[in-house]
Amino acid sequence: PSGSRSVGQAGTRWDEGYFSGKITAGGNIISSGDFYASTTGKGLILKSPNGNCWRLGITDIGNTTTTSIVCP
């Protein structure tokens, strides 16, 4: 579909690939670009087979980290 779609807070546009707020998808999210978390301490959250949730992060020297969190 062409044109812009409002998502999240006012001023965010689907076609710009920028979102502010929560996005819920019932299926796969597919992107040809990168995922960027602009806030330190935020990141990709994954659910393990036993139901626990983990946030992936990175240190200042590029090592990956995982932090156990309450599932959103």
Side-chain angles (χ1 to χ4, degrees), residues 5-24 35-36 38-39:
R5 308 285 190 273
S6 294
V7 178
Q9 298 174 356
T12 59
R13 291 172 41 144
W14 175 267
D15 59 338
E16 291 175 346
Y18 171 79
F19 304 100
S20 177
K22 182 178 181 179
I23 299 170
T24 302
F35 169 79
Y36 176 68
S38 63
T39 304

Side-chain angles (χ1 to χ4, degrees), residues 1-71:
S2 61
S4 64
R5 308 285 190 273
S6 294
V7 178
Q9 298 174 356
T12 59
R13 291 172 41 144
W14 175 267
D15 59 338
E16 291 175 346
Y18 171 79
F19 304 100
S20 177
K22 182 178 181 179
I23 299 170
T24 302
N28 296 332
I29 299 174
I30 300 170
S31 172
S32 61
D34 293 319
F35 169 79
Y36 176 68
S38 63
T39 304
T40 302
K42 300 296 183 185
L44 185 62
I45 298 171
L46 301 173
K47 187 178 244 185
S48 64
N50 66 1
N52 292 325
C53 286
W54 300 87
R55 178 180 287 125
L56 298 180
I58 193 162
T59 68
D60 287 335
I61 59 171
N63 294 327
T64 55
T65 62
T66 57
T67 305
S68 177
I69 64 166
V70 174
C71 291

